[in-house]
């Protein structure tokens, strides 16, 4: 059942939120009083996405900035991209890429049909330029896609605080590699510090891990970028020189 709550709360006076029961729990969309177009999506109280409808280039969540840093370091920065997103949420990253790389095409694979419907109703999921939504399990759906058809595969699929089953396994990794073009990049959102990534390392020889600078006191999501082609490290380091908060980059030799 969809509930519209327009009663101001003590901690966020004037905030408006909607809630809905979805496959993996209770989803909530809440306005950001500091940004008129800002909406935070949570599931069971865990932040999933932040969308600014007025400025799709604004990336509130740090891990999305990490994704942006990698993509913005690629050559031909105005070139449209073909992107497969496993995990939809509020479609923050498709919105970002559609703004900075007009003409990009996005296939969003979302396992939670109720969540996708909720986001569509409130945030206009299907209004994102070039976006196609497909409801289904990531491993199943990515296996149906053509060979060498994507520049990026972005895996951002969670069940609570856990990565969706199979995302880091051999079968999904092989499917991602099959779909990616030879110079394509696999981007994976990680939570925590312990992950079994050997299957990914075996397929993608070039890898970097971006996370918060622990010396500055930041810990949170990490982003793994993996490829069969050398990654644009020099351009990435230039991008990160003025990043706030600071970002730490680990290369394949230290992973």
């Amino acid at each position: 059942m969809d509930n519209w709550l327009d009663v101001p709360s003590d901690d966020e006076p004037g905030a408006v939120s909607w809630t809905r029961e979805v496959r993996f729990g209770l989803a909530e969309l809440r306005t950001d009083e500091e940004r008129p177009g800002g909406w935070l999506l949570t599931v069971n109280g865990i932040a999933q996405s932040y969308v600014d409808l007025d400025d799709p280039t604004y990336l509130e969540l740090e891990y999305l900035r990490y994704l942006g840093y990698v993509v913005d370091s690629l050559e031909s920065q105005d070139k449209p991209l073909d992107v497969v997103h496993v995990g939809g949420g509020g479609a923050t990253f498709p919105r970002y890429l559609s703004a900075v790389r007009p003409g990009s095409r996005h296939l969003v694979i979302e396992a939670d049909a109720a969540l996708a419907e909720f986001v569509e109703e409130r945030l206009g999921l299907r209004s994102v330029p070039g976006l196609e939504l497909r409801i289904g399990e990531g491993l199943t759906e990515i296996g149906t896609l053509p060979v060498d058809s994507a520049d990026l595969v972005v895996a951002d699929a969670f069940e609570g605080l856990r990565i969706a089953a199979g995302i880091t396994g051999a079968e999904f990794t092989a499917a991602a590699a099959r779909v990616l073009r030879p110079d394509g990049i696999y981007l994976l959102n990680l939570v925590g510090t312990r992950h079994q990534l050997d299957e990914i390392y075996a397929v993608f020889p070039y890898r970097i891990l971006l996370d918060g600078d622990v010396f500055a006191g930041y810990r949170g999501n990490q982003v793994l970028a993996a490829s069969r082609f050398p990654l644009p490290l020099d351009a990435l380091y230039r991008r990160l020189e003025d990043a706030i908060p600071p970002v730490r980059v680990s290369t394949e030799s230290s992973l």
Side-chain angles (χ1 to χ4, degrees), residues 29 37 39 41 49-59 64 83 85 88-106 108 115-116 118-131:
L29 277 167
W39 289 88
L41 171 65
S49 299
Y50 182 101
V51 174
D52 189 327
L53 296 177
D54 296 334
D55 181 6
T57 66
Y58 177 74
L59 301 177
L64 285 165
V83 189
H85 305 262
T92 306
F93 204 52
R95 296 173 198 266
Y96 174 80
L97 291 176
S98 290
V100 300
R101 289 176 176 258
S104 293
R105 295 182 294 182
H106 307 277
V108 175
L115 180 63
F118 185 40
V119 174
E120 164 63 16
E121 290 177 1
R122 302 305 181 189
L123 303 182
L125 181 62
R126 288 185 174 87
S127 67
V128 178
L131 186 147

Side-chain angles (χ1 to χ4, degrees), residues 67-94:
L67 296 176
Y69 292 142
V70 174
V71 177
D72 292 345
S73 300
L74 302 177
E75 295 182 1
S76 303
Q77 295 178 17
D78 58 348
K79 175 187 174 183
L81 298 172
D82 293 317
V83 189
V84 177
H85 305 262
V86 181
T92 306
F93 204 52

Side-chain angles (χ1 to χ4, degrees), residues 4-85:
W4 179 23
L5 309 177
D6 60 359
V7 179
S9 61
D10 292 337
D11 56 335
E12 294 182 80
V16 174
S17 71
W18 287 273
T19 60
R20 178 171 295 182
E21 292 288 344
V22 297
R23 176 178 175 183
F24 298 114
L26 182 67
E28 179 184 33
L29 277 167
R30 177 175 290 269
T31 55
D32 183 347
E33 292 300 290
E34 297 183 359
R35 296 185 70 89
W39 289 88
L40 176 66
L41 171 65
T42 63
V43 176
N44 297 331
I46 301 168
Q48 301 290 321
S49 299
Y50 182 101
V51 174
D52 189 327
L53 296 177
D54 296 334
D55 181 6
T57 66
Y58 177 74
L59 301 177
E60 169 73 15
L61 302 183
E62 288 184 19
Y63 86 91
L64 285 165
R65 287 183 234 153
Y66 300 164
L67 296 176
Y69 292 142
V70 174
V71 177
D72 292 345
S73 300
L74 302 177
E75 295 182 1
S76 303
Q77 295 178 17
D78 58 348
K79 175 187 174 183
L81 298 172
D82 293 317
V83 189
V84 177
H85 305 262

Side-chain angles (χ1 to χ4, degrees), residues 24-254:
F24 298 114
L26 182 67
E28 179 184 33
L29 277 167
R30 177 175 290 269
T31 55
D32 183 347
E33 292 300 290
E34 297 183 359
R35 296 185 70 89
W39 289 88
L40 176 66
L41 171 65
T42 63
V43 176
N44 297 331
I46 301 168
Q48 301 290 321
S49 299
Y50 182 101
V51 174
D52 189 327
L53 296 177
D54 296 334
D55 181 6
T57 66
Y58 177 74
L59 301 177
E60 169 73 15
L61 302 183
E62 288 184 19
Y63 86 91
L64 285 165
R65 287 183 234 153
Y66 300 164
L67 296 176
Y69 292 142
V70 174
V71 177
D72 292 345
S73 300
L74 302 177
E75 295 182 1
S76 303
Q77 295 178 17
D78 58 348
K79 175 187 174 183
L81 298 172
D82 293 317
V83 189
V84 177
H85 305 262
V86 181
T92 306
F93 204 52
R95 296 173 198 266
Y96 174 80
L97 291 176
S98 290
V100 300
R101 289 176 176 258
S104 293
R105 295 182 294 182
H106 307 277
L107 174 63
V108 175
I109 300 170
E110 174 57 64
D112 192 332
L115 180 63
E117 179 184 14
F118 185 40
V119 174
E120 164 63 16
E121 290 177 1
R122 302 305 181 189
L123 303 182
L125 181 62
R126 288 185 174 87
S127 67
V128 178
L131 186 147
E132 175 190 347
L133 175 64
R134 185 178 297 185
I135 303 298
E137 302 299 328
L139 180 57
T140 300
E141 297 301 328
I142 199 171
T144 68
L145 303 181
V147 176
D148 295 348
S149 59
D151 300 298
L152 302 173
V153 170
V154 183
D156 185 14
F158 285 81
E159 299 170 4
L161 284 174
R162 298 176 59 184
I163 298 174
I167 292 295
T168 61
E171 189 176 357
F172 186 90
T173 301
R178 172 183 165 277
V179 169
L180 283 168
R181 294 176 177 130
D183 59 350
I185 299 178
Y186 179 33
L187 292 165
L188 176 63
N189 178 23
L190 303 170
V191 173
T193 57
R194 295 183 179 180
H195 302 282
Q196 295 298 322
L197 303 176
D198 292 347
E199 305 290 356
I200 296 174
Y201 294 173
V203 174
F204 296 103
Y206 299 97
R207 308 174 301 271
I208 55 175
L209 188 71
L210 290 81
D211 64 1
D213 185 345
V214 295
F215 298 106
Y218 296 100
R219 285 188 181 274
N221 293 52
Q222 302 170 311
V223 164
L224 177 71
S227 177
R228 291 164 292 186
F229 189 83
L231 292 159
L233 288 177
D234 290 343
L236 177 61
Y237 287 135
R238 289 194 296 271
R239 289 257 170 202
L240 297 179
E241 286 177 354
D242 300 320
I244 300 175
V247 180
R248 181 178 61 177
V249 178
S250 303
T251 60
E252 66 270 11
S253 60
S254 59

